[in-house]
Amino acid sequence: MVITVRIILVGYGVVGQSFTSMLLRRRHETVKDYGLNPKVVAIVDRGGAAINAKGLDLEKMLALKRQKGSVSVDNEFGFRGKPPLEVIESVEAEVLVEASSTNVKDGEPGLSHIKTAFKTGKHVVTTNKGPLALAFPTLTELAAYNKVYLRFSGTVGGGTPVLELAKKCLAGDKILAIRGILNGTTNYILTEMAEKHVTFQQALGSAQKLGYAETDPSMDIDGIDPACKVVIMANWIMNKKLTLKDVDVQGIRGVTLEALEKAAKRGNTIKLVGSIDGEARVAPTEVSKHDPLCVSGVLNAVTFVSEFAGEETIIGRGAGGPETASAILRDLLDIRHNLADKMLM
Ligand SMILES: NC(=O)c1ccc[n+]([C@@H]2O[C@H](COP(=O)([O-])OP(=O)(O)OC[C@H]3O[C@@H](n4cnc5c(N)ncnc54)[C@H](OP(=O)(O)O)[C@@H]3O)[C@@H](O)[C@H]2O)c1
């Protein structure tokens, strides 16, 4: 059974564009192998929107965005200055894909996008951690109340199926604790410091040169980004109703070369570890070099400690446009699967 899913895509940056590129490349397989016919009916960026109920020409949208900066300049289907909320309210679609910028102060604009989608009966796939970190319990309640699905695989681990491993593969077992290296930028910095004996500032500079760290790197190096991921895992996997303010957060600015050298003498190194056991925490932590969690460079790794299966560690690239786009597609397939089950009932 092929199910057509009409999509409103809000946010057309690295992730949004990678997602449409992936749809162009994988269209045949998504229909033939998975029974999903994704039809993007609206794309919104800061300049406005492009809307076509019959489905937008994604190649043209990508070219417009790259050449002109906004999809809203399209002659036929462009609406300059049209705000996302108006599009989400007025355009008929099954799913909102929310890939606008993360904001951990008030979750906006993503939070309002998601709430408006729910109120208008749309399922949501989001890669935006801000709304989830600040309002996870409220958003899941709101989704249930409106009888829609909220999926967010790309918010933890990029394309690596961290959430799925715990939620689906370990279903039936009880996850007792989670430990994770949840941020590639800080892991790169700590790896550089430990292996090349460079200072924090030098390692940060090289991360910025390579495009791993933002000009304002505070979300990463102050531990906010991994703390958002801790909140998402605590809620989704361990059913703990936390928000960002409940996480004890310490970043890596204070990690010194001396501390790394002392740890090395004990066969350990220092990693920025996000953990959930009794409490939720992000802090520089000594980890044995033999621990599977001890990955280097920009890799992410998460260990689940479960009652019966014991310890399982998943390792992969934590970020990147194509990687995160693959998580969006995975979430869409999950929604398609659930919709198909309902139709058969
Ligand atoms: N990049 C990754 O590897 C990655 C991995 C996992 C999760 N994420 C998350 O995914 C989201 C997107 O990431 P990204 O890397 O694609 O970011 P990005 O390149 O900065 O793109 C953000 C997009 O959101 C749009 N936007 C921002 N505010 C808006 C508003 N008020 N109305 C309409 N559009 C708005 C921007 O419009 P303009 O294009 O007009 O500026 C841009 O298209 C973020 O929340 C990020 O944290 C990213």
Side-chain angles (χ1 to χ4, degrees):
M1 175 169 47
V2 176
I3 299 181
T4 297
V5 171
R6 293 170 295 178
I7 296 163
I8 296 171
L9 171 59
V10 174
Y12 205 38
V14 174
V15 171
Q17 289 173 54
S18 298
F19 172 58
T20 54
S21 299
M22 171 174 270
L23 289 185
L24 284 167
R25 276 180 57 179
R26 302 273 295 147
R27 173 151 283 157
H28 182 65
E29 288 91 340
T30 47
V31 175
K32 186 173 153 283
D33 299 341
Y34 299 103
L36 172 73
N37 177 28
K39 194 199 275 187
V40 180
V41 291
I43 299 179
V44 194
D45 59 28
R46 268 187 272 235
I51 303 169
N52 180 1
K54 290 186 181 148
L56 289 163
D57 174 344
L58 298 182
E59 266 173 56
K60 189 176 174 202
M61 290 299 117
L62 279 166
L64 268 183
K65 182 68 184 169
R66 281 175 196 150
Q67 287 157 20
K68 312 265 179 183
S70 174
V71 292
S72 67
V73 300
D74 186 87
N75 289 335
E76 231 179 321
F77 301 111
F79 294 84
R80 286 187 207 201
K82 196 168 181 81
L85 289 181
E86 222 176 279
V87 177
I88 298 165
E89 272 168 357
S90 64
V91 173
E92 280 188 28
E94 280 70 42
V95 178
L96 165 71
V97 172
E98 218 292 332
S100 72
S101 319
T102 291
N103 162 7
V104 291
K105 290 207 174 82
D106 60 9
E108 298 297 353
L111 189 56
S112 296
H113 297 162
I114 295 174
K115 285 183 176 172
T116 306
F118 288 165
K119 284 182 197 148
T120 52
K122 296 173 181 81
H123 310 289
V124 173
V125 173
T126 183
T127 61
N128 183 347
K129 292 168 282 282
L132 298 178
L134 299 179
F136 196 104
T138 313
L139 287 175
T140 42
E141 271 174 34
L142 209 55
Y145 177 79
N146 288 284
K147 298 188 173 57
V148 290
Y149 300 110
L150 170 64
R151 292 292 180 267
F152 38 83
S153 177
T155 56
V156 182
T160 308
V162 173
L163 299 177
E164 285 87 346
L165 175 72
K167 194 77 175 173
K168 294 189 176 166
C169 305
L170 290 170
D173 207 335
K174 185 176 181 192
I175 310 279
L176 304 169
I178 303 175
R179 295 191 302 273
I181 291 174
L182 302 164
N183 181 271
T185 309
T186 45
N187 203 47
Y188 172 85
I189 292 171
L190 292 175
T191 308
E192 286 286 290
M193 289 174 72
E195 288 177 2
K196 299 192 181 151
H197 308 285
V198 295
T199 63
F200 169 76
Q201 281 305 335
Q202 286 167 324
L204 172 61
S206 110
Q208 282 169 327
K209 254 190 219 146
L210 289 166
Y212 296 149
E214 307 278 332
T215 323
D216 174 8
S218 48
M219 272 283 287
D220 296 325
I221 63 177
D222 291 329
I224 311 298
D225 172 81
C228 291
K229 294 163 180 168
V230 162
V231 170
I232 294 166
M233 291 198 290
N235 278 274
W236 184 238
I237 298 167
M238 295 176 84
N239 207 19
K240 291 179 187 280
K241 301 212 175 305
L242 309 182
T243 61
L244 194 53
K245 64 177 172 17
D246 302 310
V247 185
D248 186 8
V249 189
Q250 193 190 333
I252 63 163
R253 288 184 201 260
V255 178
T256 60
L257 276 175
E258 292 73 42
L260 279 161
E261 276 156 22
K262 274 188 190 160
K265 283 187 187 141
R266 291 187 281 267
N268 299 338
T269 189
I270 296 174
K271 295 288 183 190
L272 185 62
V273 176
S275 56
I276 312 153
D277 37 40
E279 52 191 45
R281 185 180 327 109
V282 172
T285 307
E286 255 190 66
V287 176
S288 161
K289 287 184 182 167
H290 303 295
D291 191 315
L293 205 58
C294 193
V295 290
S296 59
V298 291
L299 284 176
N300 282 203
V302 180
T303 299
F304 295 106
V305 184
S306 55
E307 193 175 350
F308 298 105
E311 295 200 3
E312 317 273 342
T313 301
I314 182 165
I315 298 171
R317 284 183 293 200
E323 291 84 350
T324 310
S326 76
I328 299 177
L329 187 54
R330 202 158 64 220
D331 283 346
L332 284 174
L333 290 172
D334 187 50
I335 290 175
R336 181 247 167 245
H337 188 73
N338 290 338
L339 295 178
D341 280 354
K342 271 194 185 160
M343 286 175 189
L344 295 173
M345 270 163 44

